[in-house]
Amino acid sequence: VVSDDVCPSWEMVAALLPSFVLTAFASSPSILLDENIASTKTQLYQHHQPPSRRRRRLASAVVTLPVLTSLSPHTARAISPQEASESYDKYAANYDDLDGGGLASSLGIDDARRKLLGTARGDVLEIGAGTGLNLPCYDFDNLRSLTLVDISDGMLSQARRRVEQDATLDGTKIKFVRADATSELSSLFGDNRFDTVVDTFSLCVMGNEGAPMCLEELAKVVKRKGDGGRILLIENTRASNPILGMYQDATANAAADVGGRGCVYNQDVGKMVRGTSGLELRREEAFAAGLFRSFVCEKT
């Protein structure tokens, strides 16, 4: 529905995580995380803690998290499309300063964007396009057209400005459309219209009701797999690490209300994709212990 990188700022996410969770995060073998992240960005934890201290903190987590999760619902609150529009109009002018940066790079977000979006082909639709942060990730030699959709006029204005200031995009067919991606895509563009449909970090803001609705819209407007159609997603997700996942469940409402701009950051996006009629999940890749994932989907 909303804007590119509609996720909470990564500095805010790190600040919400207590030291015992960050310790587990840093020591998990499945995480693609720059181990210098603490010293270079937040200094929220010491990566090289004595094993005995690590074990004590993990033991504390095991005792504490069941209590936390019993006090907080698994489904966090999302914001409405109207709230999203008004909210992101306010954020638009300085949005690029709120998200991304060194911490996002350390988490592998920048690399994930470039890797996935660099495969986009043909007529491309990007929803939640925001200020156009994804534009440098596309290989425009392989694009016939790019349609950027967002619910915020303010964010789209910033995206237009970004395009106008980039001389390499002169002559590129780029269209800007204000729309609600949970309900208006098929009526605006028709079925089987786009070769590639892209979203990065927008489903979390749509919530656990709006996100499946959006996926249904994406499934309508993308071409069938026999015609080369694909949906490319990078989304906030519930972590693979059980301690982090439990903590996300316990703090999802606080993260959305306090600093996440409505982002429900513990969604099971893979389950949502598999539950969407007509969509196949072809590939899923987890980053940073599954705090975010990339997905490649096709329409049957």
Side-chain angles (χ1 to χ4, degrees):
V1 178
V2 218
S3 305
D4 173 358
D5 289 36
V6 181
C7 58
S9 67
W10 292 105
E11 284 80 0
M12 182 280 294
V13 170
L16 285 172
L17 298 179
S19 57
F20 69 75
V21 175
L22 287 168
T23 300
F25 187 37
S27 57
S28 171
S30 66
I31 298 172
L32 304 176
L33 174 66
D34 183 345
E35 65 181 19
N36 295 319
I37 189 174
S39 60
T40 58
K41 290 298 293 182
T42 62
Q43 298 188 2
L44 290 175
Y45 68 102
Q46 295 294 325
H47 178 64
H48 300 292
Q49 295 185 60
S52 60
R53 183 178 300 176
R54 234 179 242 178
R55 284 194 293 271
R56 286 197 301 271
R57 290 192 171 189
L58 290 175
S60 173
V62 171
V63 173
T64 304
L65 282 170
V67 177
L68 287 174
T69 53
S70 70
L71 298 176
S72 180
H74 183 78
T75 301
R77 295 182 291 270
I79 58 178
S80 70
Q82 182 61 34
E83 289 172 325
S85 177
E86 295 172 357
S87 176
Y88 283 89
D89 281 347
K90 296 176 183 177
Y91 289 129
N94 63 344
Y95 187 82
D96 290 356
D97 296 329
L98 295 176
D99 284 325
L103 185 53
S105 179
S106 294
L107 287 170
I109 293 173
D110 292 343
D111 288 341
R113 288 176 191 276
R114 288 190 290 266
K115 178 181 177 182
L116 188 65
L117 273 59
T119 67
R121 299 289 186 274
D123 293 312
V124 177
L125 169 69
E126 181 182 339
I127 67 159
T131 64
L133 284 175
N134 283 332
L135 286 169
C137 301
Y138 291 110
D139 182 350
F140 281 93
D141 290 338
N142 295 320
L143 270 60
R144 281 190 299 272
S145 68
L146 175 62
T147 301
L148 301 179
V149 167
D150 200 277
I151 202 166
S152 164
D153 286 324
M155 299 295 264
L156 288 174
S157 293
Q158 295 297 317
R160 287 191 187 91
R161 184 173 293 108
R162 187 186 294 267
V163 169
E164 292 167 358
Q165 294 174 350
D166 189 341
T168 65
L169 297 178
D170 285 348
T172 304
K173 187 178 179 181
I174 300 178
K175 185 178 181 180
F176 304 88
V177 179
R178 184 189 184 281
D180 180 352
T182 67
S183 61
E184 297 178 338
L185 299 182
S186 59
S187 61
L188 284 172
F189 303 115
D191 294 350
N192 305 308
R193 168 66 178 80
F194 295 98
D195 300 286
T196 309
V197 177
V198 172
D199 175 54
T200 62
F201 300 114
S202 295
L203 293 182
C204 67
V205 182
M206 301 175 194
N208 292 327
E209 294 183 3
M213 293 169 60
C214 177
L215 289 171
E216 291 176 0
E217 287 290 303
L218 302 188
K220 292 176 183 177
V221 299
V222 72
K223 293 180 179 178
R224 298 187 181 277
K225 67 177 181 179
D227 297 320
R230 294 191 308 159
I231 298 174
L232 309 178
L233 308 173
I234 303 177
E235 306 292 347
N236 290 302
T237 56
R238 190 176 189 275
S240 308
N241 181 295
I243 294 177
L244 279 173
M246 292 172 69
Y247 187 79
Q248 284 178 282
D249 293 344
T251 60
N253 280 328
D257 291 344
V258 175
R261 301 190 288 285
C263 175
V264 179
Y265 76 154
N266 65 336
Q267 289 179 326
D268 188 342
V269 176
K271 182 178 180 180
M272 290 181 181
V273 171
R274 290 187 290 271
T276 303
S277 178
L279 281 190
E280 283 184 353
L281 180 54
R282 303 296 297 176
R283 188 171 71 249
E284 176 178 349
E285 185 174 359
F287 302 85
L291 282 174
F292 71 98
R293 301 169 191 263
S294 65
F295 304 88
V296 177
C297 315
E298 293 178 337
K299 180 163 71 173
T300 57

